[in-house]
Amino acid sequence: MFNEKYDVIVVGAGHAGSEAAAASANMGSSTLLITMSLQNIAQMSCNPAMGGIAKGQIIKEIDALGGYSGIVTDFSAIQFKMLNKSKGPAVWSPRAQSDRMVFSAKWREMLEQTPNLDFYQDSVVGLLVDKNSVCGVVTQLGLKIYSKSVILTNGTFLNGLIHVGEKNFGGGRVGEKASFGITENLSSLGFKSGRMKTGTPPRVDGRSLNYNKMEEQPGDENPGKFSFLPSTPKLLKQRSCYITYTSSITHNLLKEGFDRSPMFNGRIKSVGPRYCPSIEDKINRFAEKERHQIFVEPEGWSTVEVYVNGFSTSLPEDVQYKALCSIPGFEEVKMFRPGYAIEYDYFPPTQLKYSLETKLVDNLFFAGQINGTTGYEEAASQGLMAGINAHLKINSTEPFILNRDQAYIGVLIDDLITKGTDEPYRMFTSRAEFRMLLRQDNADLRLTELSHKIGLASSDRLALVNRKKKQTQSFIDFLTNLSVVPEEVNPILSEKNSALIPQSMKLRKIYARPNITSEDILKLSKVSSYVKENSLSEDIIEQVEIQVKYSGYIEKEKLNAEKLQNLENISIPSKFNYNKLKSLSSEARAKLEEIRPKTLSQASRISGVSPSDISSMLVHMGR
């Protein structure tokens, strides 16, 4: 089986590994996916949901590029919500609750149907490296499997240590053993490593909860979906989530266990996620708050297991249970398993190129939590990009790089490579300076053509995008050219308390008013007839509304992106000697020597490099 050399070996079958394997195999590389458990492919280790603020945009981008996460989410969803609808479209973010078991099963099914992809269950304990280039892996069983490239997507398994109160034990997830050997191997090759922490809340028996004491959170009345493909299903029925709250009683019960908390007694020394803190961290850091929200999330269609979102903890199990019982609706709760914290190894991502290939070892790629990120979506996007670039590298093709004005994925990777991270990195819309361009609704318009050019997005997918572009522009042209007279439109304007028009006016100008919606203009017979005759979908109508109403903002961001691109076009020589440039600050010299930015734009985003440092470099390089 292993006599022939693979093009790509992917180590780990979480969200990053699954996307990496699918991408490289679909592009034509013979790919081997090695995992410690074939039963746990793409398992949702923490919450049973995909998407959310900025994360939803990432899943849309993965789908637009030809990845699988959006498709799998649509097939496994039990609830769909578009978050931030009260705000502008730049921050609208789709989120879906998933059936945890269906999600993993669908991922495995899709991977098994992917040509060029083989599977093997074993633990990788080391890398085969020859002349500074990776050439395969060594497994726990002693097998040497050779390949042209390797992608490491080890998640929380590298020297993973699980904490529950004063107890701790090795593991990558509860019930699964940790992975040993890779960190030590990479360290011997010169890589720097660190430790991070994440956690998960208790799982409880839904039959023991009193939902009458909670606030119901149903899905959207007209639920959307993640994939741009028409072949994925749309939700016809949904399961509700619920909200309840902790109280001062809950907080006091939790505090009783602080002396046995690994977070406070020194057992956990690594840094946890700032934006998803444990419940003990919340009541310690935000002592003035009398209560915290608890989201009660079902794990699937046909299970009673419930995920207690907002109650991540590593306190002793008896303390967890007593505190849970003090939450409204949880008085008679039965716990399936306690929450826990897990510490694991990661490798600061400043050691990577933009392609996610390591700087120290050729053809070796890192993706996911090994790079210091947190979240399924962040991991999946890195896996997709690593899979693409591993295929391109072994075929001597230029890497596929997304800029900050092209995708949230571009923002994510640029942040990691340029700034590094010393705490679990999570994506937010606020991290993207061009978020009006990077909306969830236009991910296909931004990215599918780029992906098709490198051989990942299918021709059918590209045809759908081209049709969407054509229909969108035609409808905009129709609205731009259509004149309406006062008697046609004034009744609608009067109803919306909008200024009446005294004479005929182009409909696009009226549509651009903030209080005039698509429902309003569809009341006009000429518009409704056009929509019916051209079979325009809701997506097209929404796309046109956004482009008409926000055209000014969109054009302004495009101009800003072009200005940034001017610096992006100024390359820094690969052997540039920063130490000879005495006008640079000592911090800037050290950071620039470590990261070795490729362009002045990248250099300008490095923490510790000032505008005056960039000016000095410009002068030195002769502008």
Side-chain angles (χ1 to χ4, degrees):
M1 178 177 172
F2 301 127
N3 287 339
E4 293 184 20
K5 180 186 278 193
Y6 281 95
D7 291 324
V8 180
I9 290 177
V10 179
V11 180
H15 298 264
S18 296
E19 285 287 6
S24 62
N26 279 323
M27 292 178 78
S29 284
S30 60
T31 303
L32 177 66
L33 179 59
I34 305 180
T35 174
M36 295 198 297
S37 173
L38 285 168
Q39 277 65 50
N40 294 325
I41 286 176
Q43 184 170 323
M44 297 178 122
S45 308
C46 204
N47 61 320
M50 292 292 276
I53 307 299
K55 293 167 174 280
Q57 281 86 333
I58 289 175
I59 296 298
K60 286 276 197 175
E61 290 176 353
I62 290 170
D63 183 72
L65 289 164
Y68 286 178
S69 289
I71 296 170
V72 172
T73 303
D74 285 348
F75 274 98
S76 60
I78 63 174
Q79 188 197 82
F80 183 93
K81 268 193 168 184
M82 186 67 75
L83 307 180
N84 281 343
K85 277 293 276 186
S86 61
K87 301 177 182 177
V91 293
W92 292 354
S93 302
R95 184 181 189 271
Q97 289 292 132
S98 285
D99 184 307
R100 185 190 297 278
M101 289 178 281
V102 173
F103 184 91
S104 185
K106 184 64 181 178
W107 249 115
R108 178 165 176 169
E109 177 192 324
M110 291 190 69
L111 288 173
E112 288 181 349
Q113 292 173 356
T114 301
N116 306 313
L117 181 55
D118 291 343
F119 303 84
Y120 190 63
Q121 181 169 296
D122 200 348
S123 178
V124 171
V125 296
L127 300 172
L128 298 170
V129 178
D130 181 41
K131 295 177 183 175
N132 213 43
S133 181
V134 74
C135 55
V137 300
V138 181
T139 75
Q140 191 173 42
L141 290 174
L143 291 173
K144 290 182 179 179
I145 310 175
Y146 293 91
S147 64
K148 297 175 185 175
S149 64
V150 173
I151 304 172
L152 294 182
T153 70
N154 304 84
T156 58
F157 283 77
L158 291 182
N159 293 323
L161 185 65
I162 291 173
H163 296 268
V164 181
E166 295 171 294
K167 310 173 187 113
N168 60 60
F169 48 91
R173 267 190 300 250
V174 71
E176 296 178 60
K177 62 183 182 179
S179 172
F180 302 102
I182 290 178
T183 296
E184 296 72 19
N185 189 185
L186 290 172
S187 297
S188 71
L189 293 168
F191 287 93
K192 296 175 185 174
S193 69
R195 294 283 275 177
M196 281 188 177
K197 174 195 86 85
T198 189
T200 193
R203 311 301 199 269
V204 301
D205 188 337
R207 296 170 299 182
S208 64
L209 302 180
N210 184 352
Y211 293 103
N212 294 324
K213 293 188 175 182
M214 308 178 199
E215 301 169 19
E216 187 176 4
Q217 298 287 303
D220 287 349
E221 195 172 322
N222 183 26
K225 60 193 193 85
F226 273 98
S227 181
F228 291 101
L229 294 174
S231 54
T232 64
K234 205 171 180 181
L235 273 173
L236 300 177
K237 61 175 184 173
Q238 301 185 69
R239 285 202 67 177
S240 289
C241 296
Y242 293 82
I243 289 180
T244 183
Y245 297 87
T246 62
S247 64
S248 56
I249 298 171
T250 314
H251 301 173
N252 289 332
L253 288 169
L254 289 166
K255 286 175 185 175
E256 288 178 11
F258 275 13
D259 60 325
R260 294 190 285 153
S261 165
M263 274 191 60
F264 299 131
N265 64 17
R267 287 178 184 271
I268 292 178
K269 297 179 173 65
S270 46
V271 181
R274 178 191 301 266
Y275 302 105
C276 188
S278 64
I279 189 67
E280 55 263 43
D281 199 17
K282 284 181 194 173
I283 63 176
N284 188 49
R285 280 167 50 192
F286 310 109
E288 73 283 358
K289 281 191 173 275
E290 293 182 2
R291 66 178 193 169
H292 293 283
Q293 277 188 330
I294 300 295
F295 296 90
V296 182
E297 302 178 345
E299 297 255 342
W301 290 115
S302 54
T303 179
V304 297
E305 189 172 353
V306 167
Y307 180 87
V308 190
N309 196 340
F311 205 87
S312 178
T313 181
S314 57
L315 284 164
E317 61 272 29
D318 60 315
V319 175
Q320 294 184 35
Y321 181 70
K322 285 178 188 174
L324 278 175
C325 288
S326 69
I327 297 172
F330 279 70
E331 292 85 356
E332 304 295 327
V333 68
K334 291 182 179 179
M335 194 160 64
F336 275 6
R337 65 174 168 89
Y340 63 88
I342 180 167
E343 292 184 284
Y344 56 94
D345 294 337
Y346 86 105
F347 290 80
T350 51
Q351 300 171 99
L352 302 175
K353 302 173 185 177
Y354 270 103
S355 62
L356 299 182
E357 183 185 19
T358 68
K359 294 174 182 176
L360 286 175
V361 177
D362 288 343
N363 299 326
L364 175 62
F365 296 77
F366 291 174
Q369 283 174 289
I370 193 172
N371 292 335
T373 59
T374 181
Y376 308 144
E377 302 83 1
E378 291 88 344
S381 66
Q382 293 170 70
L384 177 78
M385 297 300 283
I388 289 170
N389 283 313
H391 169 85
L392 295 175
K393 178 70 188 293
I394 62 176
N395 286 283
S396 303
T397 306
E398 284 295 304
F400 182 64
I401 309 296
L402 293 171
N403 297 327
R404 296 182 71 92
D405 63 329
Q406 289 178 303
Y408 272 92
I409 296 172
V411 175
L412 168 69
I413 293 175
D414 183 62
D415 279 356
L416 293 174
I417 306 308
T418 304
K419 299 174 182 175
T421 186
D422 54 8
E423 62 182 50
Y425 177 100
R426 179 180 178 181
M427 180 52 74
F428 290 103
T429 50
S430 58
R431 295 192 191 273
E433 58 271 50
F434 303 116
R435 53 187 173 272
M436 195 64 220
L437 302 179
L438 310 182
R439 306 183 311 276
Q440 56 84 29
D441 60 271
N442 71 349
D444 54 341
L445 302 177
R446 289 184 276 121
L447 301 173
T448 298
E449 188 174 353
L450 296 175
S451 183
H452 182 262
K453 283 179 181 175
I454 60 169
L456 182 55
S458 68
S459 295
D460 289 345
R461 191 181 272 275
L462 182 63
L464 286 170
V465 171
N466 288 334
R467 183 168 179 261
K468 181 176 177 179
K469 281 182 181 176
K470 185 179 178 181
Q471 287 187 320
T472 299
Q473 190 55 53
S474 295
F475 192 20
I476 290 173
D477 292 342
F478 171 78
L479 297 173
T480 304
N481 297 322
L482 178 65
S483 293
V484 287
V485 294
E487 50 266 32
E488 274 184 296
V489 78
N490 275 348
I492 296 170
L493 298 178
S494 176
E495 191 179 319
K496 299 303 290 274
N497 294 319
S498 189
L500 306 182
I501 62 170
Q503 58 196 34
S504 67
M505 186 182 286
K506 298 297 183 186
L507 183 55
R508 177 171 176 168
K509 194 171 181 181
I510 295 171
Y511 194 18
R513 296 182 184 185
N515 57 339
I516 302 301
T517 66
S518 58
E519 287 81 5
D520 295 322
I521 67 160
L522 284 169
K523 291 174 184 176
L524 299 169
S525 59
K526 291 175 185 174
V527 178
S528 60
S529 296
Y530 180 91
V531 168
K532 286 177 185 175
E533 286 168 12
N534 292 276
S535 303
L536 299 188
S537 65
E538 288 180 19
D539 290 345
I540 300 294
I541 295 167
E542 180 184 84
Q543 185 65 217
V544 168
E545 183 168 10
I546 291 167
Q547 290 195 29
V548 167
K549 288 185 179 298
Y550 297 91
S551 58
Y553 296 101
I554 292 169
E555 289 306 314
K556 186 178 179 181
E557 284 205 355
K558 282 181 179 175
L559 287 172
N560 289 338
E562 285 169 13
K563 289 176 185 176
L564 181 71
Q565 194 62 39
N566 292 334
L567 278 182
E568 205 70 68
N569 291 333
I570 304 176
S571 297
I572 302 172
S574 59
K575 295 182 180 178
F576 191 91
N577 190 341
Y578 297 101
N579 291 318
K580 283 189 175 180
L581 203 54
K582 300 302 178 188
S583 55
L584 293 178
S585 68
S586 56
E587 182 185 6
R589 273 199 299 274
K591 291 283 182 71
L592 290 163
E593 277 290 344
E594 177 192 356
I595 294 170
R596 307 296 305 180
K598 287 194 168 185
T599 67
L600 272 181
S601 177
Q602 185 190 357
S604 71
R605 295 191 293 273
I606 296 172
S607 176
V609 176
S610 69
S612 62
D613 293 324
I614 297 298
S615 296
S616 297
M617 290 174 66
L618 267 171
V619 171
H620 186 79
M621 293 165 63
R623 294 189 182 275

